[in-house]
Amino acid sequence: MTLSEKSAYLKGLMEGLKLDTDKGEGKMIAAIVDMLEDVAYAVSDIEEQAQLVSDELDEIEGALDAMEEFLLDEDEDAEDDEDDGDEDYEFDDEALYEVKCPTCGEVITVDEATIDEGAVDCPKCGEKLEFDMEDEDNDELSF
């Protein structure tokens, strides 16, 4: 039974007792029943508002979950792009390149001086990696 239903029940009991609401105890009981009715309506309104807020929060949570998933997918895509192989990094004005060995897949970092030498041995499998700098406009290294 809800508060509104309990309040209506008490009001019905009071009317059924045919209390004199103009004198003493009857007047006090009538005032208490009226106050309980007002409280029941106020609580009912608060419950409705709380449900509306809860529904809005559920919608916001869904939207935030969708945004988080979108952003995490972008971060994963960016990480995948970073792991594609030959990349150029700048540290202290010295260009470094990541080179993937075609034999064993080991990724090694080489500097401009190593590239100028024309070759390097893979530290994992010993394969000789030769660098062809004929097309200097292209940022990718061939070997």
Side-chain angles (χ1 to χ4, degrees), residues 29-70:
I29 291 173
I32 291 171
V33 169
D34 285 342
M35 185 201 65
L36 289 174
E37 185 177 34
D38 291 343
V39 169
Y41 287 133
V43 169
S44 178
D45 289 344
I46 291 170
E47 287 173 342
E48 288 176 19
Q49 292 297 320
Q51 185 61 48
L52 290 173
V53 168
S54 177
D55 292 344
E56 287 290 323
L57 286 174
D58 288 343
E59 288 181 29
I60 291 169
E61 181 181 22
L64 286 174
D65 287 343
M67 283 191 279
E68 179 182 28
E69 185 176 319
F70 176 77

